[in-house]
């Protein structure tokens, strides 16, 4: 438990480092967009390839992927409801910064340390479904909510998803895993080197973008988004643990996954839509702290 807490708090320390470096002038505000491009187009795709490499999947196991997708859809729907009557910009912000799970950078180490191979398989499958939401799906719907994507069309969402490099990486690796194929060893070795920097770059990006004014309206938005998100998380966790007909290790992994922080790509996508990057980074950072507390508490209860 000590090692897991140390790793979790290391993430928080990197966020603080990014914030301090920007405050001291080492990073400029516009550097956030450079770092976010590196994360979305280089380090995150490499981490996806590295994590999925060598994994073999059976078609029946894709049911867990549907749970990851379904959880994201429920969160998007909730975000749409709680932003009723608000501006298009605020609705788009809520959709982007309430949906999706930060699994690869954050939750996977918890599962690896406590639940073994079965937990890792369940986590990877859940994350493949989650990728539809956090790597392009939520962005597509937020774009349409803001009025930049026209009417709601499934084809528009898929076109946006296919332009997402992380999603393309997930799609490729899922197909290879179902076919029991693997990438050449030199390719995997290359991606692993890049993937080693993904967690650092993602947390640094959040720190560089972090901006919290402290006014009541901003704090109110954060409390509203996180309260709704973690209420849904509790309901899903209870349903997954008590209602699903999976082995115990699978259900334990799914419970932990429900309390994952908001997707680390959310501030980057918020920037792409010209939204409030500072507020997005603040929501993301606070969700990491909340998730640390909740995941540790859940581990103490279910193990």
């Amino acid at each position: 438990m000590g090692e897991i807490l140390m790793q979790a708090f290391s993430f928080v320390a990197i966020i603080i480092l990014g914030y301090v470096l920007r405050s001291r002038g080492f990073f400029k505000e516009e550097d956030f967009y450079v770092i976010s491009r590196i994360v979305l187009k280089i380090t995150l795709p490499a981490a996806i390839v590295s994590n999925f490499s060598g994994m073999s999947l059976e078609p029946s196991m894709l049911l867990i992927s549907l749970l990851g997708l379904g959880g994201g859809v429920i969160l998007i729907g909730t975000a749409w409801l709680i932003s009723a009557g608000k501006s298009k910009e605020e609705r788009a912000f809520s959709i982007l910064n309430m949906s999706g799970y930060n699994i690869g950078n954050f939750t996977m180490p918890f599962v690896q340390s406590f639940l073994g191979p079965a937990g890792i398989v369940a986590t990877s499958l859940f994350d493949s479904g989650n990728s539809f939401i956090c790597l392009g799906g939520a962005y597509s719907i937020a774009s349409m909510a803001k009025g930049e994507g026209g009417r709601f069309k499934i084809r528009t969402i898929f076109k946006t998803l296919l332009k997402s490099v992380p999603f393309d990486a997930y799609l490729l690796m899922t197909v290879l895993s179902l076919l029991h194929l693997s990438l050449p060893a030199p390719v995997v070795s290359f991606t692993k080197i890049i993937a080693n920097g993904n967690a650092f770059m993602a947390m640094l990006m959040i720190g560089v973008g972090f901006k919290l004014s402290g006014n009541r309206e901003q704090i109110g938005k954060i409390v509203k988004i996180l309260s709704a998100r973690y209420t849904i998380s509790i309901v899903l966790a209870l349903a997954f643990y008590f209602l699903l007909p999976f082995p115990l290790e699978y259900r334990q992994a799914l419970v932990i996954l429900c309390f994952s922080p908001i997707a680390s790509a959310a501030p980057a996508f918020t920037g792409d839509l010209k939204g409030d990057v500072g507020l997005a980074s603040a929501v993301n950072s606070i969700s990491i702290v909340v998730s640390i507390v909740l995941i540790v508490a859940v581990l103490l209860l279910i193990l």
Side-chain angles (χ1 to χ4, degrees), residues 40 44 48 68-69 71-73 75-76 95-104 126-140 161 164 166-167 170 229 261-270 284:
L40 286 176
L44 182 54
I48 291 167
L69 175 63
V73 169
L75 287 171
I76 288 176
I95 290 169
L96 272 177
N97 292 280
M98 188 174 155
S99 57
Y101 300 95
N102 183 354
I103 293 173
F126 187 91
D127 199 19
S128 66
N130 169 58
S131 69
F132 278 84
I133 301 298
C134 65
L135 300 180
Y139 176 81
S140 300
L161 280 169
S164 167
F167 177 78
Y170 248 126
R229 178 184 171 88
I262 296 165
S264 59
F269 281 126
T270 301
N284 210 291

Side-chain angles (χ1 to χ4, degrees), residues 11 14-16 18-19 22 32 35-36 39 102 105 199-211 261-268 277-278 280-288:
F11 290 156
I14 295 170
I15 292 172
I16 294 171
Y19 175 76
R22 195 203 71 197
F32 169 87
I35 299 172
S36 69
V39 172
N102 183 354
N105 292 337
F200 172 76
M201 291 298 296
M203 297 302 110
L204 185 71
M205 174 191 74
I206 292 169
V208 171
F210 187 91
K211 191 186 296 180
I262 296 165
S264 59
V277 170
S281 295
V283 172
N284 210 291
S285 304
I286 295 169
S287 82
I288 289 173

Side-chain angles (χ1 to χ4, degrees), residues 1 8 15 18-19 33 81 100 151 153 182 186 207 222 260 263 274 298:
M1 181 66 75
I15 292 172
Y19 175 76
Y33 299 97
L81 289 174
R151 294 181 303 146
K153 294 180 181 178
S182 59
I222 293 173
S260 300
K274 304 297 186 291
V298 167

Side-chain angles (χ1 to χ4, degrees), residues 29-46 165-166 194 198 201-202 205 264-265 267-269 271-272 274:
E29 194 166 327
E30 55 267 27
D31 289 335
F32 169 87
Y33 299 97
V34 177
I35 299 172
S36 69
R37 284 193 211 101
I38 293 172
V39 172
L40 286 176
K41 298 184 183 298
I42 301 175
T43 62
L44 182 54
V165 179
I194 300 174
N198 183 57
M201 291 298 296
M205 174 191 74
S264 59
F269 281 126
D272 281 351
K274 304 297 186 291

Side-chain angles (χ1 to χ4, degrees), residues 113-148:
S113 297
F114 288 96
L115 300 180
I120 294 172
V121 170
T123 299
S124 298
L125 288 167
F126 187 91
D127 199 19
S128 66
N130 169 58
S131 69
F132 278 84
I133 301 298
C134 65
L135 300 180
Y139 176 81
S140 300
I141 296 172
S143 179
M144 286 185 282
K146 194 176 179 182
E148 297 182 2

Side-chain angles (χ1 to χ4, degrees), residues 81-119:
L81 289 174
I82 67 170
S83 59
K86 304 295 183 180
S87 66
K88 292 181 178 180
E89 289 75 15
E90 191 163 336
R91 171 163 279 176
F93 181 91
S94 296
I95 290 169
L96 272 177
N97 292 280
M98 188 174 155
S99 57
Y101 300 95
N102 183 354
I103 293 173
N105 292 337
F106 186 89
T107 315
M108 183 66 83
F110 287 88
V111 176
Q112 287 175 321
S113 297
F114 288 96
L115 300 180

